[in-house]
Amino acid sequence: MTTAPQLVVALDLPEREAALDMAARLRDIVPWVKIGMELFTRCGPSVLGELKDMGFRVFLDMKFYDIPNTVAQAVRSAARSGADMLTLHAQGGKRMCEAAREAADSVRAAGDPAPLLFGVTVLTSFGPGEMPGISAEPSDFALDLAREAAQWGLDGVVCSAQEVARIRSAAPSLARLCPGIRPEGSAQDDQRRVMTPAKAILAGADYLVVGRPVTRSDDPAEAARRILSEMHIEKA
Ligand code: C5P
């Protein structure tokens, strides 16, 4: 990725009003917001349109994992709903990921905008020895999945900043999006493979996804500004 690293704030909030209120505080400060299971399951796709009307780029993080046809059709639905980026599990494998790629490409070939496809490698909440049925260390397994994701034509991967440098050298074509970002001194919560914003950028992350350190702060706009200044991209 040639552009400056971008900050994505995860709007993990239970209601439309709370999400739009948080978005209003972050408007003109962060370029991207993320809609995940909590908000989407409650509000549906209309909230995507509302956030786009506010000027945000929208990352739909539903982590698709299903048979190839179902995922391909979900990619088409996400495109129609206006998602600029979405996630699917790289563990869904070659046929599922290639079906998603073909769906996004055919949307684009028809002249419509299609979301960037990011493969989730290993959730940042997994620590060593915690993945059921998988003996590899999380970072090693994430690296293997990223190599495959590049072969399957995905645009990027979701990974911990702890493995992002190795992924950058093994699969340089992929954009790298890192959750599990924790500014110095903030609570780790349920995350395990964490890193500070500055270190994540130095390691090679293209997008940082931050939720609770911003949305649960007394002053979300200021919290976002502090992260941006750690990333060396000061806006507003
Ligand atoms: O609050 P916090 O900063 O931990 O939020 C991280 C966000 O990134 C959550 O919305 C979570 O669903 C998402 N995410 C993650 N790890 C992944 C993929 C997505 O934490 N591997």
Side-chain angles (χ1 to χ4, degrees):
M1 182 163 138
T2 48
T3 55
Q6 309 263 302
L7 177 60
V8 184
V9 172
L11 297 178
D12 292 325
L13 295 158
E15 298 290 346
R16 173 184 166 276
E17 291 70 25
L20 294 181
D21 178 59
M22 182 59 64
R25 292 162 178 244
L26 299 170
R27 200 178 191 167
D28 300 327
I29 300 172
V30 300
W32 285 86
V33 287
K34 186 186 88 110
I35 299 179
M37 291 180 200
E38 183 180 2
L39 188 60
F40 191 83
T41 305
R42 179 81 180 109
C43 300
S46 61
V47 75
L48 267 89
E50 291 183 274
L51 290 163
K52 288 185 70 98
D53 288 346
M54 292 173 77
F56 290 102
R57 303 201 75 198
V58 176
F59 166 27
L60 181 65
D61 183 27
M62 298 296 286
K63 301 184 182 67
F64 297 149
Y65 180 82
D66 211 310
I67 61 172
N69 178 65
T70 300
V71 168
Q73 300 299 17
V75 168
R76 291 175 185 279
S77 293
R80 280 199 294 275
S81 298
D84 297 293
M85 180 193 285
L86 65 76
T87 46
L88 63 168
H89 273 286
Q91 282 191 70
K94 177 179 165 67
R95 285 194 296 125
M96 188 196 88
C97 292
E98 287 182 347
R101 175 76 278 154
E102 279 166 30
D105 288 347
S106 69
V107 167
R108 209 166 281 139
D112 295 319
L116 295 170
L117 304 180
F118 275 69
V120 177
T121 56
V122 176
L123 296 172
T124 44
S125 53
F126 276 122
E130 286 188 336
M131 288 185 297
I134 295 167
S135 55
E137 287 302 307
S139 286
D140 294 337
F141 192 51
L143 180 64
D144 288 345
L145 285 171
R147 281 199 189 96
E148 304 260 34
Q151 300 302 313
W152 303 333
L154 298 189
D155 298 298
V157 281
V158 183
C159 62
S160 159
Q162 294 185 7
E163 57 254 8
V164 81
R166 286 202 293 159
I167 288 177
R168 179 168 63 172
S169 48
S173 66
L174 293 171
R176 298 161 299 266
L177 181 146
C178 298
I181 300 299
R182 288 294 180 269
E184 206 71 62
S186 62
Q188 187 170 317
D189 305 306
D190 53 352
Q191 297 285 13
R192 292 291 174 269
R193 300 193 333 281
V194 298
M195 203 176 261
T196 65
K199 285 184 182 161
I201 294 300
L202 282 175
D206 297 306
Y207 299 88
L208 301 190
V209 177
V210 184
R212 288 161 289 186
V214 170
T215 57
R216 295 198 182 167
S217 156
D218 291 338
D219 187 346
E222 181 52 28
R225 278 200 194 90
R226 256 186 270 122
I227 293 169
L228 284 165
S229 78
E230 253 200 73
M231 294 168 69
H232 304 296
I233 34 174
E234 306 207 50
K235 279 185 81 184

